[in-house]
Amino acid sequence: MQDEKEYCQSVSLEHRKKYAQFFTPYPIADFMAQWILGNTDCKTILDPAFGLGVFARAIFDNTDRNINITGLEIDSLILSQARKLNHHLNVNLYHQDYISQDWQENYDGIICNPPYFKFHDYDNKTNLKEIKQKLGITLTGFTNLYTLFLLKSIYQLNPNGRIAYIVPSEFLNSDYGKKIKDYLIKDGKLRYVIILDFAENIFTDAITTSSILLFAHDKKSQDLEFISVKSLTELNNLQTELNKYPQSLTGGNKLNYSQINPKLKWRLYYQPQQSLNFKNLVPFSAYGKVVRGIATGANDYFTFNLEKQKHYKIPDCYLLPCIPKANYINSPFFNLATFEELKEKNKKVLLLNVTDLQNENVKKYIQLGEENQIHKKHLTSHRKPWYAIEKRPPSPIWVSVFNRNGLRFIKNEAKIRNLTTFHCIYLNLLSANREDLLFAYLLTDVSKKIFQDNRREYGQGLEKFEPNDLNSSLVVNLDCITVQEEIKIIDLFQRYRKNIFSNHTQSEFLKEINEIFSRIITK
Ligand SMILES: C[S@@+](CC[C@H](N)C(=O)[O-])C[C@H]1O[C@@H](n2cnc3c(N)ncnc32)[C@H](O)[C@@H]1O
C-alpha cells in the first residue's frame, strides 16, 4: 500500500473524491486475486477501475502463470503513476471509461473495486441505455455506478471464468438494489456474498461497510452462500475453505437460488433477525409513514440564529421555527420552552421561508444567495424558485437518522419543523388517537432491538435508517394490548414524561413500560 499512500499524499482529496479513488488494502486484494486464480485455465484478466494496480500486484504475487492483465482507468493523472509502477510486460493499461467502451471483449477473470459515489451528479442516461440494450434490464437513474460496473463485468465473463468485486454493502439492502439482485439471481453466477463486518473500517476514508462478491461461470453450484467475516484472520481462514469450492463454508448460510428473494433485504440471510424471536408484530407502515426531513441543499444559507436575523434584518414572518441538528435535542420530549431556550442561546433554529419578495431585506438576502451561487447547487437548481422550501408540515414524532447507540424517537410537542437530521413520522387514522401508546413503545429497548433488523451499517458503530427501512420495520400490534395494559402503560408514560420535565433522570417507569411490552410480544 506504500504506492497508494504516496499517491494520496501527492494529490488533493478533492481530486480523489472526483474519481472515487479509495484503495483496496493489500490483504483484501490478495484474497480476491486467489479466487480469480482458482480458475486454472485463466489467461486473461480485466481490472476495469485500475487505480495504481493493487489487484495486478496481488495476481502476480500469487502465480507464475502467463496471464495477461488489462487495466482501464478514466483518470489520466493516476494512470500516469500506474504506468510507472506496472512495468510487467503482461499488463496493458488503457485510458478509458469502462462503461462506455470495451463491450466486445471477454475475460477469464474480472477483479474490481469499482468507483462508488454517494451522490452522483453525472449523467447516467447513456450508461443505462447501454445496459438496457446489452443486458435487457431497465434501471432507474438512482442506480449507482458501481452496480453498472458489476453488471457489465458479468456480461463480459468467459465460461469457467471468475469475478471478484468489492462493493459497498448498500445495494444488498436498498430499494435500488432490488433489480440488481433480481438480475444476479436470474443470472446464477454469484456464488458468495462475504460481508466484511470488521470492527474497524478497512477503507480508512470511506464510510460504508463493504462486501466481497465472488462469481463463477460454471455449473458446479446452484447455490449462493452468505458469510460475515469479522477480521482479516477470519478472511484468511475463509481463503483456505474457498480452495475447496463448491464445498460449503463453516459458518456460512448456503441457500439454493430458488430460496432467495431479491425483493427482501439480504441482511436477512447473513444476520440473525431479532423479529423472529417475537410475536404480535406488524409493519410500522400500518400506523404511519416515515418521511425524510426538509432538505435545504445549503443549511448554512437557509438557517438563521437571532444574530444573523438581526444582521440581515429579516422579518419574523419569513422565518420558520426548525430543528437543523440532532444534537440540539437530548430528551425524548421537545416542547416550545426548549425551542425558545435554543433560540436564546443563538442556535440556528430558524428556517428561511420566502413566499414573496416584497421585503427589501429579504430580496437582498436572496440576491446574496445568487452571488454566492447557492441557486446553482444540486437541490436548489431543481426548485422553482430556487429558494422555495419543501412543503412538509411538522410531524408529531421525529426519529434520528444516524445513530451510534440505537434509534432516538422524539415527541415533537413544539409542533415545529425539522431538517434531514431527523426523519418525520406522520401517524395515520389507526394510530393517531393512540399516539402516546405507540410513542411509549418506541421508547423501549425491546422496540429498538427489533428495529435493528433493518439498520444499515456505516462502520465504526455508526448506523443509518432510511425512511423505508423504518416503514418496513416491525412494531408491536397495538390491537394485541389489553385495555388494562393500555391504562397501565399510559399512566407509566405520563409519569415518565413528568419526571423528564422535572429533570429526574431515573428511568424506573421506562423499565416497567419495557417489561409490559416485552411480555406482549415475546414468544
Ligand atoms: C475505488 S478506486 C480502485 C482503485 C484500485 N483498483 C484499488 O482497488 O485500489 C476506483 C478507480 O476507478 C477509476 N474510475 C472511476 N470511474 C471510472 C470509469 N468510469 N472507468 C474506468 N475507471 C474509472 C478511478 O479513477 C479510481 O482509480
Side-chain angles (χ1 to χ4, degrees):
M1 290 301 284
Q2 191 53 32
D3 298 332
E4 279 78 5
K5 239 186 207 162
E6 281 170 20
Y7 175 80
C8 291
Q9 281 160 5
S10 71
V11 303
S12 67
L13 185 61
E14 211 180 2
H15 179 87
R16 287 178 49 219
K17 278 193 174 155
K18 178 172 169 201
Y19 293 103
Q21 291 173 347
F22 298 103
F23 301 108
T24 314
Y26 185 82
I28 306 268
D30 181 60
F31 173 87
M32 292 164 66
Q34 291 192 49
W35 171 254
I36 299 288
L37 294 170
N39 164 19
T40 45
D41 294 331
C42 180
K43 293 194 178 57
T44 53
I45 294 179
L46 170 72
D47 177 347
F50 196 77
L52 291 175
V54 68
F55 292 124
R57 256 174 278 155
I59 297 275
F60 290 125
D61 285 350
N62 278 289
T63 186
D64 303 328
R65 281 187 254 159
N66 187 20
I67 288 179
N68 276 302
I69 298 186
T70 302
L72 307 185
E73 178 51 64
I74 204 168
D75 171 26
S76 55
L77 180 69
I78 200 167
L79 185 64
S80 66
Q81 291 294 317
R83 286 203 163 114
K84 285 183 207 153
L85 296 167
N86 292 271
H87 299 299
H88 206 293
L89 280 179
N90 289 6
V91 179
N92 295 301
L93 300 182
Y94 301 95
H95 186 205
Q96 270 186 17
D97 166 12
Y98 177 51
I99 294 294
S100 61
Q101 289 164 49
D102 195 49
W103 277 91
Q104 70 294 344
E105 299 296 331
N106 288 69
Y107 301 90
D108 302 326
I110 303 178
I111 186 163
C112 186
N113 174 1
Y116 168 64
F117 298 100
K118 186 101 193 76
F119 302 104
H120 54 220
D121 47 14
Y122 54 85
D123 181 13
N124 229 348
K125 271 192 208 128
T126 2
N127 293 343
L128 296 175
K129 223 166 125 189
E130 196 99 44
I131 294 277
K132 181 162 187 207
Q133 250 176 23
K134 299 283 196 306
L135 308 179
I137 156 171
T138 315
L139 299 167
T140 74
F142 290 111
T143 314
N144 213 296
L145 187 61
Y146 74 93
T147 52
L148 304 188
F149 264 62
L150 180 65
L151 294 178
K152 182 176 180 191
S153 292
I154 297 171
Y155 177 80
Q156 290 185 295
L157 191 63
N158 276 331
N160 289 323
R162 291 187 174 190
I163 292 177
Y165 254 67
I166 180 158
V167 293
S169 307
E170 185 183 85
F171 87 100
L172 301 173
N173 302 306
S174 71
D175 284 340
Y176 77 78
K178 286 180 191 164
K179 277 207 165 174
I180 313 288
K181 291 186 290 182
D182 187 49
Y183 185 85
L184 295 180
I185 288 183
K186 286 184 183 135
D187 174 70
K189 297 189 195 84
L190 179 58
R191 298 284 175 263
Y192 300 100
V193 175
I194 302 164
I195 316 297
L196 302 180
D197 187 16
F198 291 6
E200 283 184 15
N201 208 330
I202 42 165
F203 291 96
T204 37
D205 33 15
I207 51 158
T208 54
T209 54
S210 309
S211 297
I212 296 175
L213 309 178
L214 302 180
F215 299 72
H217 192 180
D218 60 27
K219 296 204 162 51
K220 289 187 190 162
S221 167
Q222 300 272 306
D223 302 319
L224 171 54
E225 191 157 5
F226 292 84
I227 190 160
S228 272
V229 290
K230 296 212 157 12
S231 62
L232 280 178
T233 321
E234 280 189 26
L235 195 68
N236 275 337
N237 297 340
L238 190 62
Q239 184 67 68
T240 322
E241 292 204 54
L242 280 178
N243 292 336
K244 296 182 197 136
Y245 163 76
Q247 202 173 295
S248 305
L249 306 171
T250 321
N253 181 22
K254 194 171 189 168
L255 298 163
N256 186 276
Y257 270 107
S258 60
Q259 295 171 276
I260 302 173
N261 185 346
K263 293 203 175 78
L264 300 180
K265 289 173 194 279
W266 281 6
R267 182 182 294 114
L268 170 78
Y269 304 127
Y270 58 82
Q271 237 173 41
Q273 292 291 287
Q274 290 294 343
S275 60
L276 297 176
N277 302 323
F278 297 94
K279 61 176 180 180
N280 295 335
L281 300 176
V282 291
F284 192 74
S285 53
Y287 295 124
K289 194 167 179 196
V290 184
V291 177
R292 71 156 173 72
I294 297 172
T296 66
N299 283 2
D300 252 4
Y301 174 80
F302 284 103
T303 57
F304 283 69
N305 53 16
L306 287 179
E307 201 177 304
K308 184 173 165 189
Q309 179 185 10
K310 207 165 144 197
H311 178 81
Y312 290 104
K313 302 193 179 70
I314 305 288
D316 282 346
C317 61
Y318 290 96
L319 294 168
L320 291 171
C322 181
I323 289 298
K325 288 192 176 163
N327 65 6
Y328 283 2
I329 297 176
N330 49 22
S331 152
F333 301 94
F334 182 74
N335 62 11
L336 273 178
T338 330
F339 172 75
E340 288 302 329
E341 256 173 53
L342 287 168
K343 201 163 123 186
E344 289 314 310
K345 281 185 189 155
N346 212 27
K347 301 282 182 201
K348 283 187 161 181
V349 287
L350 300 168
L351 177 67
L352 185 66
N353 178 36
V354 178
T355 44
D356 61 67
L357 290 176
Q358 282 167 20
N359 180 284
E360 276 311 307
N361 296 329
V362 169
K363 220 162 142 181
K364 267 194 218 150
Y365 191 73
I366 295 296
Q367 276 159 6
L368 180 71
E370 286 167 7
E371 279 160 30
N372 291 331
Q373 309 289 306
I374 304 289
H375 63 309
K376 292 204 172 139
K377 287 183 170 265
H378 183 67
L379 286 182
T380 50
S381 64
H382 287 86
R383 288 194 199 121
K384 272 197 184 122
W386 64 266
Y387 48 81
I389 285 297
E390 288 178 304
K391 288 197 173 46
R392 197 147 302 189
S395 68
I397 301 173
W398 296 329
V399 56
S400 52
V401 176
F402 280 102
N403 305 279
R404 283 197 188 279
N405 305 307
L407 278 169
R408 277 205 305 143
F409 289 91
I410 288 141
K411 202 158 185 278
N412 175 19
E413 297 180 357
K415 296 194 170 41
I416 67 167
R417 287 170 173 77
N418 56 293
L419 299 191
T420 50
T421 189
F422 290 116
H423 294 318
C424 315
I425 300 182
Y426 297 103
L427 301 181
N428 64 20
L429 284 177
L430 278 183
S431 59
N433 62 351
R434 292 186 283 185
E435 188 180 320
D436 283 353
L437 185 63
L438 184 65
F439 188 68
Y441 170 75
L442 296 177
L443 293 181
T444 60
D445 288 345
V446 67
S447 84
K448 286 172 191 164
K449 199 167 168 181
I450 298 171
F451 276 116
Q452 284 285 300
D453 283 351
N454 277 10
R455 70 184 184 268
R456 291 166 196 233
E457 273 147 7
Y458 271 60
Q460 291 157 330
L462 190 62
E463 291 170 357
K464 186 181 184 188
F465 288 83
E466 295 290 1
N468 271 343
D469 299 333
L470 294 164
N471 284 322
S472 58
S473 287
L474 297 173
V475 295
V476 64
N477 181 347
L478 297 180
D479 293 338
C480 295
I481 301 169
T482 64
V483 177
Q484 287 85 345
E485 282 165 341
E486 181 166 346
I487 293 170
K488 180 81 187 149
I489 293 167
I490 295 296
D491 175 54
L492 288 165
F493 173 74
Q494 277 162 1
R495 289 205 263 164
Y496 170 68
R497 181 180 173 282
K498 213 167 148 194
N499 245 344
I500 295 266
F501 279 115
S502 45
N503 285 332
H504 292 300
T505 48
Q506 56 124 321
S507 56
E508 279 309 305
F509 298 127
L510 201 52
K511 228 165 142 186
E512 267 190 73
I513 296 174
N514 189 54
E515 277 165 19
I516 301 176
F517 278 115
S518 298
R519 265 201 312 276
I520 296 168
I521 62 175
T522 302
K523 272 184 181 168

